[in-house]
Amino acid sequence: MDRNSAVGVFDSGLGGLTVVKEMLRLLPKERIVYFGDTARVPYGTKSRSAIVRFSRENTELLLSRDVKMVVVACNSSSSYAIPVLKKHYPVPVLGVIEPGARKAAAVTRNNRIGVIATAATINSGQYTRNILKYNPDAQVISQPCALFVPLVEEGWLDTAATRQIALEYLAPLKEAGVDTVILGCTHYPLLREVIQRTMGTQVTLVDSATEIAVRVRELLGRSDMLRVRGRAVPRFYVSDKPQEFGRIAKNFLGRELKAAKITQGTGHV
Ligand code: DGL
């Protein structure tokens, strides 16, 4: 493993491509190996023990590709599995919760922060814990938004139904007067416009995907592990339905994926 080894990224499915997109923007020279567990998505409705088990298997798959670090793009996995992954594997492991929470704790002006995420992420309480670590005066209003993931996968990014559902989910956050909202799920950056319109332009949206890409760059830089030459093409592995991955991935990544770069994982599920 050296500076030319890839950065491994995993997610429950294709939502983690929002993280890949930010990494490609901030770290264009890094090789990226992405694994999407499309056979077992969603994780956001599953138990802690299932999420931890899946996360370990995903990490082992990435390590078999000789990655120099593992980025857990999935908020639900990051909520439950980070301590286990850090303990058991020999490479740095970064999750999305802490960078997103730190940013929100820093940018709020009225100390009222909303967190929207899957049920698993909200139930873990990790965003709240991490926000309070950086800003003990913060008041955190959490809201699970179960319907957002299927809406995004359906490509309903700004339909009347999406706007209505956003209005209902976000009402408690508006009532509480939050000035900052964490998009605590891989899929939510795609609903950014609807969420911003619903909350109002004065509310700051914190995108965990951007924050983790910044952190990856910091960490690799500090440990002298940044890849210095070339422009790398990311590689994608999924545990099921590679064709569908390619189709939906365009929305997440903002560009076409060539089918050849998508390989169906085997022996994993
Ligand atoms: N990737 C998941 C997350 O960020 C969303 C999709 C799922 O529920 O698996 O929590």
Side-chain angles (χ1 to χ4, degrees):
M1 196 205 339
D2 62 24
R3 61 166 72 233
N4 289 312
S5 300
V7 176
V9 181
F10 81 79
D11 180 51
S12 55
L14 43 80
L17 292 176
T18 50
V19 172
V20 172
K21 186 177 176 196
E22 290 303 301
M23 287 176 59
L24 291 172
R25 193 168 65 80
L26 296 181
L27 296 153
K29 296 191 173 110
E30 290 301 323
R31 295 168 58 209
I32 295 172
V33 176
Y34 180 91
F35 176 70
D37 195 4
T38 46
R40 301 190 288 199
V41 69
Y43 286 8
T45 54
K46 304 236 162 52
S47 66
R48 168 198 289 268
S49 62
I51 293 172
V52 170
R53 178 159 57 87
F54 298 165
S55 302
R56 289 193 66 164
E57 289 169 2
N58 300 343
T59 302
E60 283 161 22
L61 190 132
L62 290 173
L63 288 174
S64 74
R65 309 270 150 195
D66 233 8
V67 297
K68 61 184 172 188
M69 75 181 293
V70 170
V71 174
V72 183
C74 178
N75 287 255
S76 307
S77 287
S78 297
S79 296
Y80 290 112
I82 295 295
V84 176
L85 302 182
K86 283 193 168 167
K87 184 165 157 215
H88 286 96
Y89 301 107
V91 295
V93 176
L94 271 187
V96 271
I97 307 293
E98 197 267 345
R102 187 161 91 172
K103 176 80 173 188
V107 299
T108 181
R109 296 164 308 266
N110 71 2
N111 287 336
R112 271 175 249 162
I113 300 172
V115 178
I116 53 175
T118 65
T121 298
I122 297 295
N123 291 339
S124 78
Q126 284 297 346
Y127 267 116
T128 304
R129 224 164 283 135
N130 277 277
I131 290 167
L132 293 176
K133 191 168 84 188
Y134 291 108
N135 182 347
D137 296 327
Q139 189 191 339
V140 183
I141 295 93
S142 299
Q143 175 67 48
C145 302
L147 296 173
F148 278 176
V149 167
L151 283 171
V152 169
E153 299 212 341
E154 200 61 26
W156 290 19
L157 304 185
D158 197 352
T159 67
T162 307
R163 290 190 287 273
Q164 181 59 34
I165 289 166
L167 209 57
E168 296 197 26
Y169 276 147
L170 300 175
L173 274 61
K174 289 184 77 164
E175 269 159 39
V178 302
D179 72 353
T180 305
V181 174
I182 298 181
L183 307 179
C185 171
T186 46
H187 289 56
Y188 299 178
L190 278 91
L191 298 175
R192 190 182 186 105
E193 279 171 31
V194 169
I195 294 168
Q196 187 79 70
R197 270 204 312 273
T198 311
M199 292 305 300
T201 49
Q202 74 288 358
V203 170
T204 306
L205 301 185
V206 172
D207 181 348
S208 295
T210 312
E211 298 316 315
I212 195 167
V214 171
R215 200 62 68 81
V216 171
R217 189 172 58 182
E218 274 170 22
L219 198 128
L220 289 177
R222 229 184 313 143
S223 48
D224 211 17
M225 287 294 267
L226 278 168
R227 188 166 187 254
V228 284
R229 260 192 294 276
R231 208 187 161 82
V233 180
R235 303 189 54 164
F236 299 95
Y237 297 88
V238 291
S239 48
D240 199 12
K241 289 190 162 176
Q243 292 78 10
E244 200 161 305
F245 180 84
R247 187 176 57 76
I248 305 178
K250 191 168 165 254
N251 263 348
F252 282 88
L253 216 48
R255 66 186 199 201
E256 294 281 355
L257 276 188
K258 292 206 187 77
K261 299 203 188 85
I262 305 164
T263 314
Q264 183 153 3
T266 49
H268 178 64
V269 178

PDB file of all heavy atoms in Angstrom, residues 11-12 41-45 73-76 118 121 149 184-187, ligand 1:
ATOM      1  N   ASP A  11     -20.789   2.275  -0.031  1.00  0.00           N
ATOM      2  CA  ASP A  11     -22.122   2.764   0.328  1.00  0.00           C
ATOM      3  C   ASP A  11     -23.092   1.604   0.228  1.00  0.00           C
ATOM      4  O   ASP A  11     -22.778   0.558  -0.361  1.00  0.00           O
ATOM      5  CB  ASP A  11     -22.542   3.899  -0.621  1.00  0.00           C
ATOM      6  CG  ASP A  11     -23.925   4.434  -0.285  1.00  0.00           C
ATOM      7  OD1 ASP A  11     -24.154   4.765   0.897  1.00  0.00           O
ATOM      8  OD2 ASP A  11     -24.800   4.483  -1.164  1.00  0.00           O
ATOM      9  N   SER A  12     -24.271   1.790   0.775  1.00  0.00           N
ATOM     10  CA  SER A  12     -25.305   0.764   0.681  1.00  0.00           C
ATOM     11  C   SER A  12     -25.746   0.552  -0.771  1.00  0.00           C
ATOM     12  O   SER A  12     -26.328  -0.470  -1.103  1.00  0.00           O
ATOM     13  CB  SER A  12     -26.509   1.174   1.529  1.00  0.00           C
ATOM     14  OG  SER A  12     -26.939   2.461   1.131  1.00  0.00           O
ATOM     15  N   VAL A  41     -29.267  -2.904  -0.416  1.00  0.00           N
ATOM     16  CA  VAL A  41     -29.807  -1.571  -0.140  1.00  0.00           C
ATOM     17  C   VAL A  41     -31.310  -1.691   0.125  1.00  0.00           C
ATOM     18  O   VAL A  41     -31.942  -2.578  -0.471  1.00  0.00           O
ATOM     19  CB  VAL A  41     -29.508  -0.640  -1.358  1.00  0.00           C
ATOM     20  CG1 VAL A  41     -30.317  -1.025  -2.577  1.00  0.00           C
ATOM     21  CG2 VAL A  41     -29.657   0.825  -1.009  1.00  0.00           C
ATOM     22  N   PRO A  42     -31.955  -0.941   0.989  1.00  0.00           N
ATOM     23  CA  PRO A  42     -31.396   0.139   1.796  1.00  0.00           C
ATOM     24  C   PRO A  42     -30.851  -0.349   3.138  1.00  0.00           C
ATOM     25  O   PRO A  42     -31.303  -1.382   3.652  1.00  0.00           O
ATOM     26  CB  PRO A  42     -32.618   1.034   2.031  1.00  0.00           C
ATOM     27  CG  PRO A  42     -33.767   0.076   2.106  1.00  0.00           C
ATOM     28  CD  PRO A  42     -33.425  -1.042   1.147  1.00  0.00           C
ATOM     29  N   TYR A  43     -29.889   0.374   3.680  1.00  0.00           N
ATOM     30  CA  TYR A  43     -29.398   0.113   5.040  1.00  0.00           C
ATOM     31  C   TYR A  43     -30.184   0.940   6.068  1.00  0.00           C
ATOM     32  O   TYR A  43     -30.252   0.583   7.227  1.00  0.00           O
ATOM     33  CB  TYR A  43     -27.922   0.517   5.173  1.00  0.00           C
ATOM     34  CG  TYR A  43     -26.913  -0.395   4.520  1.00  0.00           C
ATOM     35  CD1 TYR A  43     -27.271  -1.451   3.695  1.00  0.00           C
ATOM     36  CD2 TYR A  43     -25.547  -0.185   4.754  1.00  0.00           C
ATOM     37  CE1 TYR A  43     -26.313  -2.257   3.103  1.00  0.00           C
ATOM     38  CE2 TYR A  43     -24.587  -0.995   4.177  1.00  0.00           C
ATOM     39  CZ  TYR A  43     -24.962  -2.025   3.343  1.00  0.00           C
ATOM     40  OH  TYR A  43     -23.999  -2.814   2.769  1.00  0.00           O
ATOM     41  N   GLY A  44     -30.753   2.042   5.606  1.00  0.00           N
ATOM     42  CA  GLY A  44     -31.364   3.010   6.519  1.00  0.00           C
ATOM     43  C   GLY A  44     -32.566   2.493   7.283  1.00  0.00           C
ATOM     44  O   GLY A  44     -33.013   3.109   8.245  1.00  0.00           O
ATOM     45  N   THR A  45     -33.085   1.335   6.864  1.00  0.00           N
ATOM     46  CA  THR A  45     -34.227   0.742   7.559  1.00  0.00           C
ATOM     47  C   THR A  45     -33.776  -0.475   8.368  1.00  0.00           C
ATOM     48  O   THR A  45     -34.606  -1.148   8.985  1.00  0.00           O
ATOM     49  CB  THR A  45     -35.273   0.267   6.531  1.00  0.00           C
ATOM     50  OG1 THR A  45     -34.588  -0.598   5.591  1.00  0.00           O
ATOM     51  CG2 THR A  45     -35.895   1.408   5.768  1.00  0.00           C
ATOM     52  N   ALA A  73     -19.148   6.217   2.853  1.00  0.00           N
ATOM     53  CA  ALA A  73     -19.998   7.269   2.299  1.00  0.00           C
ATOM     54  C   ALA A  73     -21.411   7.204   2.868  1.00  0.00           C
ATOM     55  O   ALA A  73     -22.122   8.203   2.911  1.00  0.00           O
ATOM     56  CB  ALA A  73     -20.054   7.139   0.778  1.00  0.00           C
ATOM     57  N   CYS A  74     -21.807   6.018   3.303  1.00  0.00           N
ATOM     58  CA  CYS A  74     -23.178   5.804   3.787  1.00  0.00           C
ATOM     59  C   CYS A  74     -23.320   6.344   5.212  1.00  0.00           C
ATOM     60  O   CYS A  74     -22.578   5.956   6.110  1.00  0.00           O
ATOM     61  CB  CYS A  74     -23.466   4.304   3.759  1.00  0.00           C
ATOM     62  SG  CYS A  74     -25.089   3.870   4.381  1.00  0.00           S
ATOM     63  N   ASN A  75     -24.285   7.237   5.404  1.00  0.00           N
ATOM     64  CA  ASN A  75     -24.504   7.798   6.740  1.00  0.00           C
ATOM     65  C   ASN A  75     -24.970   6.734   7.726  1.00  0.00           C
ATOM     66  O   ASN A  75     -24.581   6.753   8.890  1.00  0.00           O
ATOM     67  CB  ASN A  75     -25.570   8.891   6.679  1.00  0.00           C
ATOM     68  CG  ASN A  75     -25.077  10.172   6.021  1.00  0.00           C
ATOM     69  OD1 ASN A  75     -24.820  11.159   6.679  1.00  0.00           O
ATOM     70  ND2 ASN A  75     -24.929  10.146   4.707  1.00  0.00           N
ATOM     71  N   SER A  76     -25.795   5.796   7.255  1.00  0.00           N
ATOM     72  CA  SER A  76     -26.309   4.760   8.164  1.00  0.00           C
ATOM     73  C   SER A  76     -25.160   3.876   8.639  1.00  0.00           C
ATOM     74  O   SER A  76     -25.061   3.540   9.826  1.00  0.00           O
ATOM     75  CB  SER A  76     -27.389   3.932   7.455  1.00  0.00           C
ATOM     76  OG  SER A  76     -28.387   4.784   6.927  1.00  0.00           O
ATOM     77  N   THR A 118     -31.824   9.043   7.343  1.00  0.00           N
ATOM     78  CA  THR A 118     -32.635   7.821   7.424  1.00  0.00           C
ATOM     79  C   THR A 118     -32.988   7.543   8.889  1.00  0.00           C
ATOM     80  O   THR A 118     -32.363   8.095   9.810  1.00  0.00           O
ATOM     81  CB  THR A 118     -31.856   6.602   6.892  1.00  0.00           C
ATOM     82  OG1 THR A 118     -30.733   6.370   7.756  1.00  0.00           O
ATOM     83  CG2 THR A 118     -31.385   6.786   5.467  1.00  0.00           C
ATOM     84  N   THR A 121     -29.904   6.304  10.898  1.00  0.00           N
ATOM     85  CA  THR A 121     -28.976   7.383  11.271  1.00  0.00           C
ATOM     86  C   THR A 121     -29.553   8.219  12.412  1.00  0.00           C
ATOM     87  O   THR A 121     -28.866   8.498  13.398  1.00  0.00           O
ATOM     88  CB  THR A 121     -28.674   8.272  10.042  1.00  0.00           C
ATOM     89  OG1 THR A 121     -28.039   7.453   9.055  1.00  0.00           O
ATOM     90  CG2 THR A 121     -27.779   9.438  10.387  1.00  0.00           C
ATOM     91  N   VAL A 149     -35.311   8.819   0.039  1.00  0.00           N
ATOM     92  CA  VAL A 149     -34.432   7.915  -0.727  1.00  0.00           C
ATOM     93  C   VAL A 149     -35.167   7.346  -1.952  1.00  0.00           C
ATOM     94  O   VAL A 149     -34.691   7.474  -3.084  1.00  0.00           O
ATOM     95  CB  VAL A 149     -33.851   6.800   0.167  1.00  0.00           C
ATOM     96  CG1 VAL A 149     -33.220   5.696  -0.671  1.00  0.00           C
ATOM     97  CG2 VAL A 149     -32.798   7.379   1.121  1.00  0.00           C
ATOM     98  N   GLY A 184     -28.123  14.639   5.998  1.00  0.00           N
ATOM     99  CA  GLY A 184     -27.431  13.511   6.616  1.00  0.00           C
ATOM    100  C   GLY A 184     -27.684  12.179   5.937  1.00  0.00           C
ATOM    101  O   GLY A 184     -27.810  11.150   6.614  1.00  0.00           O
ATOM    102  N   CYS A 185     -27.798  12.188   4.633  1.00  0.00           N
ATOM    103  CA  CYS A 185     -28.025  10.956   3.881  1.00  0.00           C
ATOM    104  C   CYS A 185     -27.441  11.176   2.491  1.00  0.00           C
ATOM    105  O   CYS A 185     -27.538  12.281   1.939  1.00  0.00           O
ATOM    106  CB  CYS A 185     -29.532  10.678   3.799  1.00  0.00           C
ATOM    107  SG  CYS A 185     -29.960   9.332   2.676  1.00  0.00           S
ATOM    108  N   THR A 186     -26.852  10.121   1.961  1.00  0.00           N
ATOM    109  CA  THR A 186     -26.182  10.231   0.660  1.00  0.00           C
ATOM    110  C   THR A 186     -27.077  10.802  -0.443  1.00  0.00           C
ATOM    111  O   THR A 186     -26.606  11.451  -1.361  1.00  0.00           O
ATOM    112  CB  THR A 186     -25.729   8.832   0.200  1.00  0.00           C
ATOM    113  OG1 THR A 186     -26.818   7.922   0.397  1.00  0.00           O
ATOM    114  CG2 THR A 186     -24.507   8.374   0.964  1.00  0.00           C
ATOM    115  N   HIS A 187     -28.370  10.521  -0.347  1.00  0.00           N
ATOM    116  CA  HIS A 187     -29.280  10.902  -1.428  1.00  0.00           C
ATOM    117  C   HIS A 187     -29.735  12.365  -1.374  1.00  0.00           C
ATOM    118  O   HIS A 187     -30.192  12.906  -2.376  1.00  0.00           O
ATOM    119  CB  HIS A 187     -30.527  10.022  -1.395  1.00  0.00           C
ATOM    120  CG  HIS A 187     -30.283   8.605  -1.809  1.00  0.00           C
ATOM    121  ND1 HIS A 187     -29.351   7.808  -1.195  1.00  0.00           N
ATOM    122  CD2 HIS A 187     -30.869   7.856  -2.775  1.00  0.00           C
ATOM    123  CE1 HIS A 187     -29.367   6.610  -1.774  1.00  0.00           C
ATOM    124  NE2 HIS A 187     -30.274   6.615  -2.733  1.00  0.00           N
TER     125      HIS A 187
HETATM  126  N1  DGL B   1     -26.748   5.455   1.905  1.00  0.00           N
HETATM  127  C1  DGL B   1     -27.806   5.576   2.890  1.00  0.00           C
HETATM  128  C2  DGL B   1     -27.423   6.633   3.913  1.00  0.00           C
HETATM  129  O1  DGL B   1     -26.688   7.558   3.639  1.00  0.00           O
HETATM  130  C3  DGL B   1     -29.133   5.908   2.246  1.00  0.00           C
HETATM  131  C4  DGL B   1     -29.759   4.739   1.513  1.00  0.00           C
HETATM  132  C5  DGL B   1     -30.022   3.571   2.421  1.00  0.00           C
HETATM  133  O2  DGL B   1     -30.932   3.639   3.264  1.00  0.00           O
HETATM  134  O3  DGL B   1     -29.286   2.588   2.314  1.00  0.00           O
HETATM  135  O4  DGL B   1     -27.863   6.556   5.024  1.00  0.00           O
END
